[in-house]
Amino acid sequence: MLLVVLLSVTRTISIVSPMRHIKHYANKMLYGVVGFATLLLSIDIVFLSVQWVKVHYYKYMSLCEVAAVQSESEELSQKYSAPTHIYSILIQLELIIPCVVVFASFLTSTVFLMKSRPIQYTHINSKNEKKFRRVSITIALYTALFLVCYLPCFLLQVLYFVS
């Protein structure tokens, strides 16, 4: 999922400002990747190591389930209630944020691709621009396909997040 985010964001940057090289944005993107990876790792390490949640894998159903620690004691149930809700919200944000970023970059690149730009004067630049446009349209189509395939998961997570 992170690769799709990086691909769509870098392509959007190159479409919006074609004269700037992507290396100007490399540090900012690196901070974003490191920050997101840190968020993912810290959530999983903290919550799973403290055992506020447990993971179950059902081999025959090919299903992985993350469940809150169940306790018959009311005191323990209240103790684990807040961390379980926090973990649930953070997991949903892990799945919602990349999709929103991909969708925003998809819309931006689509709007910029729909605008007609003047063709450059030289034949070489014209060929490069046509090639760049074809590549950009192909990546936009892959991004749209990702969004369509990811739509059920996104809607489910939004529903969980809202309720």
Side-chain angles (χ1 to χ4, degrees):
M1 186 177 311
L2 191 59
L3 292 176
V4 174
V5 171
L6 283 176
L7 180 68
S8 64
V9 168
T10 55
R11 181 50 57 172
T12 301
I13 290 171
S14 65
I15 289 171
V16 171
S17 59
M19 297 303 171
R20 295 203 70 176
H21 292 287
I22 209 67
K23 64 183 173 184
H24 295 290
Y25 301 102
N27 288 339
K28 294 177 185 175
M29 289 190 322
L30 184 63
Y31 292 141
V33 169
V34 169
F36 191 70
T38 304
L39 176 71
L40 293 176
L41 288 173
S42 63
I43 290 170
D44 290 337
I45 289 172
V46 167
F47 282 92
L48 293 174
S49 67
V50 179
Q51 296 181 351
W52 284 332
V53 292
K54 295 205 181 229
V55 178
H56 302 287
Y57 178 69
Y58 302 105
K59 182 178 177 181
Y60 298 107
M61 292 175 30
S62 296
L63 174 72
C64 187
E65 177 185 49
V66 178
V69 175
Q70 297 292 326
S71 176
E72 294 176 9
S73 167
E74 189 174 315
E75 180 183 320
L76 284 177
S77 295
Q78 288 177 351
K79 178 182 176 185
Y80 290 127
S81 177
T84 302
H85 289 299
I86 291 170
Y87 183 74
S88 174
I89 290 170
L90 290 175
I91 287 291
Q92 291 160 11
L93 286 177
E94 283 179 17
L95 297 171
I96 291 173
I97 289 174
C99 190
V100 170
V101 170
V102 168
F103 184 69
S105 67
F106 172 72
L107 282 180
T108 305
S109 62
T110 303
V111 166
F112 273 88
L113 284 172
M114 297 299 281
K115 290 181 180 178
S116 61
R117 288 195 241 160
I119 297 176
Q120 300 291 331
Y121 294 109
T122 63
H123 181 66
I124 295 172
N125 286 339
S126 176
K127 276 187 171 180
N128 287 339
E129 188 173 324
K130 287 179 185 177
K131 186 177 181 181
F132 176 77
R133 189 170 178 83
R134 280 197 315 260
V135 168
S136 299
I137 289 172
T138 303
I139 290 176
L141 289 173
Y142 281 126
T143 304
L145 179 65
F146 167 78
L147 289 171
V148 168
C149 293
Y150 195 71
L151 186 64
C153 179
F154 175 75
L155 292 176
L156 181 68
Q157 294 306 319
V158 168
L159 181 67
Y160 286 155
F161 189 71
V162 171
S163 63

